[in-house]
Amino acid sequence: MVIKYQLLKKDPRSMARLGVITTPHSTFETPIFMPVGTQATVKTMSVEELEACNAKIILGNTYHLWCQPGNEIMAEAGGLHKFMRWNKSILTDSGGFQVFSLAKLRDIKEEGVTFKHHKSGKKLFLSPELAIKIQNDLGSDIMMCLDECPPYPATEEYLENSMHRTIRWAKRCYEANVNKETQGLFGIVQGGNIRRLREYCAQELTKIPFDGYAVGGLSVGEPKEIQNEVLSYTTPLLPEDKPRYLMGVGSPGAILDGVERGIDMFDCVLPTRIARHGTAMTSVGRKLLKNKEFERDFTPLDHECDCYCCKNYTRAYLHHLIKAEEILGQRLISIHNIHFLLKLMENIRKAIREDRFLEFKKEFYEKYGLNNSDKDF
Amino acid sequence: MVIKYQLLKKDPRSMARLGVITTPHSTFETPIFMPVGTQATVKTMSVEELEACNAKIILGNTYHLWCQPGNEIMAEAGGLHKFMRWNKSILTDSGGFQVFSLAKLRDIKEEGVTFKHHKSGKKLFLSPELAIKIQNDLGSDIMMCLDECPPYPATEEYLENSMHRTIRWAKRCYEANVNKETQGLFGIVQGGNIRRLREYCAQELTKIPFDGYAVGGLSVGEPKEIQNEVLSYTTPLLPEDKPRYLMGVGSPGAILDGVERGIDMFDCVLPTRIARHGTAMTSVGRKLLKNKEFERDFTPLDHECDCYCCKNYTRAYLHHLIKAEEILGQRLISIHNIHFLLKLMENIRKAIREDRFLEFKKEFYEKYGLNNSDKDF
């Protein structure tokens, strides 16, 4: 296996687990959160700022990098790591999620998907082989299989057909990888909210020696009860000696729920996206910096945080920068939010190590205000 | 004098001069360029990045800071230095330039100017006393008098009346300063392109013990020959033992022309503004990073530059970031452009010290391509 996973500890009262992943570029403990660097940059942030936030692995989006600058240029640059000067691990998605969420007029056939680019309208074709070829050119540590991410809700018939194609595509992806010694590949379990389909998909995909497995098709608009239910019966179907990744999940509440159900890896644009609109995640819940209450508040954004933003600037300054639409405001809150989530993961790992994960989760939920409303889930 | 100027050396073959300015916050050699931090931030950059570019003094815009967050909040914050965490010098303009260039429906009376805010449309009134009051609240090292910056072209009659009012306002500004021990104040010589008016204005303003003098009303659309001609006869009218500031000038060509005519200080939004559109100043002229020629160019932006951007990233990466509209691209090119201009100032000072300023200027003009067209003047 290119990607090595070592299980360090299992929480006795939940499925939460502590582990270590080693990729060709870095070693890090899990559960982990991966900041999203869609277009060869985590929006607004430098790689030094990411490192100061203790990021160990980031995500790159194959769809976006394929369209701009293009995989040939990425290969000429020596891969994504060198292009963007990030020396730690990179996971790339397959491009599939964007094809199904962003692109227009898509036509799914056995061979692959034909669709129009979401901005240029240019007709494009993505197959399992091409998704892997692009990721081989990007040189990511962990690649993802091309799958179909079905919408929620979808009929059982649709989910079943789609799931079978996802399995066939997974086999083709595995075969297509020309860098089996240097780039890992994860399979993606689909099947919507139908237990029978998730079980079948997990059973078939685990026959292929992938480096890890993702639970896909969640965080697409379903209620959190369904997300948690699907996770509860899906993660036990996955091998204990390989990492498990819940795609597209990054709110503190959903991360804690995922960890409780045995997930090791998370990614989401949430922390950087809300930061650009002036919303910060803090130890006592979300803060909308644009609000007038912060106009004359000369205290740090989060008293419990030791990130660059909280150590140096006031809420009044952040309020001003956001009101004035200054990029530095987006930068400072992005740094804080990424630091906040990576610190949360560190605290989660510490709690698992100390046999108090469920207590930690309860305390966090209460302090963050997650019992009061669902909006921050 | 709050602002101390020491003349170190005069160029024997031009009016160029080498000096040292000491303000309450820092000491720096002149000629110097001041990056513009309009709204309590030099757009896209952190204060650490500014320091790494060797910035010693930056500019804040009184008009913008008065409107957002407001001078009362700035005073409560402990002043602009503390608010934005910049420990070196700050020069603030008077707000006058924005009133005359941005605001709508302005009505100039002896008492002050009534106008509508350029975005909100809110009716506002700015007087010499208020311009100083706001700058006292901001706590800048160097304040500027409220003046009228007349358009180009303007009739001699208009210029004469305006110039007389600017002198009367300058006296009121001097009286209004309540921080005479801690904040310096510069007068602004107006008079358009009429030598008689410039002479009269300089004669009257130098009777007031200002800490330095600016040449105003230039860089407002006049041909560069006129700018240079006005400078040639205006700077000799200013005291040799005080700093001279050419407002709103920041292109390499105009800076060199200004230094040749005895100017010590420059400011302009140019380096950061063009950076946000993907244009870099390099040792061989401007580069538009969006151009396809850089798509596969894996060399540094400027081979002669040792800034963070040039030491670490390729033109291909910058091209990609600008094409993808990523903020990191704007950041990296802003860092480079500020570093480039501050390095130019360092080289100018070195050349004056070594008695080869005119040779340096000629070489720079040729290498930068300034003999080929006027566009980069």
Side-chain angles (χ1 to χ4, degrees), chain A residues 295-347:
Chain A
E295 198 178 28
R296 289 160 193 262
D297 185 342
F298 299 106
T299 65
L301 173 53
D302 188 346
H303 292 272
E304 296 184 18
C305 180
D306 62 349
C307 81
Y308 170 75
C309 172
C310 292
K311 274 191 299 188
N312 293 309
Y313 296 97
T314 62
R315 293 172 172 185
Y317 186 55
L318 296 171
H319 169 83
H320 162 70
L321 292 176
I322 294 297
K323 286 272 286 185
E325 296 176 1
E326 284 287 354
I327 282 172
L328 184 61
Q330 304 183 3
R331 279 180 65 178
L332 292 174
I333 304 175
S334 294
I335 288 171
H336 169 78
N337 283 355
I338 291 295
H339 187 277
F340 178 83
L341 275 190
L342 290 171
K343 187 75 186 176
L344 169 64
M345 303 316 292
E346 193 182 314
N347 289 335

Side-chain angles (χ1 to χ4, degrees), chain A residues 91-111:
Chain A
L91 179 148
T92 44
D93 62 8
S94 67
F97 184 77
Q98 281 72 29
V99 169
F100 293 103
S101 62
L102 285 180
K104 294 164 192 160
L105 290 170
R106 58 182 175 273
D107 180 25
I108 313 172
K109 292 222 164 65
E110 189 60 26
E111 180 57 21

Side-chain angles (χ1 to χ4, degrees), chain A residues 4-288:
Chain A
K4 288 170 188 60
Y5 176 78
Q6 190 192 351
L7 178 63
L8 295 181
K9 183 181 170 77
K10 289 161 72 174
D11 182 41
R13 291 174 293 148
S14 76
M15 288 191 262
R17 53 193 220 151
L18 188 72
V20 186
I21 290 177
T22 300
T23 80
H25 282 88
S26 61
T27 294
F28 48 88
E29 285 198 337
T30 56
I32 192 100
F33 175 79
M34 304 181 282
V36 179
T38 303
Q39 302 185 113
T41 162
V42 174
K43 285 192 192 298
T44 82
M45 293 177 70
S46 69
V47 290
E48 288 81 6
E49 285 162 351
L50 278 171
E51 281 176 15
C53 289
N54 211 19
K56 305 284 189 187
I57 174 169
I58 63 171
L59 190 139
N61 285 121
T62 290
Y63 172 89
H64 292 287
L65 293 167
W66 173 37
C67 298
Q68 166 62 44
N71 52 302
E72 284 177 19
I73 287 172
M74 296 299 304
E76 281 178 46
L80 180 55
H81 288 88
K82 202 172 163 195
F83 188 58
M84 69 180 288
R85 211 172 132 260
W86 173 251
N87 301 322
K88 297 194 165 66
S89 300
I90 296 177
L91 179 148
T92 44
D93 62 8
S94 67
F97 184 77
Q98 281 72 29
V99 169
F100 293 103
S101 62
L102 285 180
K104 294 164 192 160
L105 290 170
R106 58 182 175 273
D107 180 25
I108 313 172
K109 292 222 164 65
E110 189 60 26
E111 180 57 21
V113 205
T114 306
F115 60 95
K116 288 192 174 175
H117 185 261
H118 69 291
K119 280 186 184 169
S120 69
K122 196 177 157 189
K123 200 174 167 184
L124 295 165
F125 174 75
L126 188 64
S127 65
E129 289 75 16
L130 182 54
I132 296 298
K133 157 75 178 148
I134 299 167
Q135 293 180 83
N136 279 162
D137 283 343
L138 293 173
S140 50
D141 298 271
I142 301 174
M143 304 185 291
M144 299 302 298
C145 286
L146 183 66
D147 62 335
E148 184 191 348
C149 181
Y152 177 86
T155 64
E156 186 159 340
E157 188 191 354
Y158 185 94
L159 289 170
E160 181 150 17
N161 287 333
S162 167
M163 179 270 289
H164 282 294
R165 188 169 42 232
T166 284
I167 294 170
R168 293 191 297 272
W169 283 5
K171 290 172 186 163
R172 285 165 58 187
C173 283
Y174 184 80
E175 295 305 323
N177 179 14
V178 297
N179 293 335
K180 286 199 172 60
E181 305 301 311
T182 53
Q183 291 186 265
L185 178 62
F186 279 20
I188 304 173
V189 178
Q190 291 287 355
N193 55 332
I194 314 292
R195 185 166 185 163
R196 177 180 65 84
L197 301 184
R198 290 279 177 183
E199 285 170 349
Y200 181 82
C201 193
Q203 175 195 307
E204 291 304 306
L205 289 183
T206 52
K207 290 177 184 167
I208 307 167
F210 287 121
D211 293 83
Y213 294 89
V215 184
L218 293 179
S219 200
V220 291
E222 75 283 3
K224 76 171 193 173
E225 291 73 22
I226 291 192
Q227 182 173 134
N228 284 336
E229 189 196 343
V230 172
L231 280 182
S232 296
Y233 61 66
T234 302
T235 49
L237 306 168
L238 301 175
E240 203 175 66
D241 62 347
K242 287 181 180 176
R244 303 157 179 173
Y245 165 29
L246 176 54
M247 304 178 80
V249 164
S251 72
I255 286 176
L256 284 159
D257 283 0
V259 168
E260 186 179 352
R261 288 159 184 85
I263 295 295
D264 306 305
M265 302 165 75
F266 301 85
D267 84 284
C268 196
V269 295
L270 184 82
T272 43
R273 179 170 289 166
I274 65 175
R276 295 198 302 284
H277 296 105
T279 299
M281 299 170 172
T282 79
S283 50
V284 291
R286 286 197 192 187
K287 299 280 180 202
L288 277 63

Side-chain angles (χ1 to χ4, degrees), chain B residues 328-347:
Chain B
L328 185 62
Q330 303 184 2
R331 277 181 67 177
L332 292 173
I333 304 175
S334 293
I335 288 172
H336 169 78
N337 283 355
I338 291 294
H339 187 278
F340 178 82
L341 274 191
L342 290 171
K343 188 75 187 177
L344 170 63
M345 302 316 293
E346 192 182 315
N347 289 335

Side-chain angles (χ1 to χ4, degrees), chain B residues 95-103 106 108 113 146-149 169:
Chain B
F97 184 76
Q98 282 71 29
V99 170
F100 293 103
S101 62
L102 284 180
R106 60 182 173 273
I108 314 170
V113 205
L146 182 68
D147 62 334
E148 184 191 348
C149 180
W169 283 3

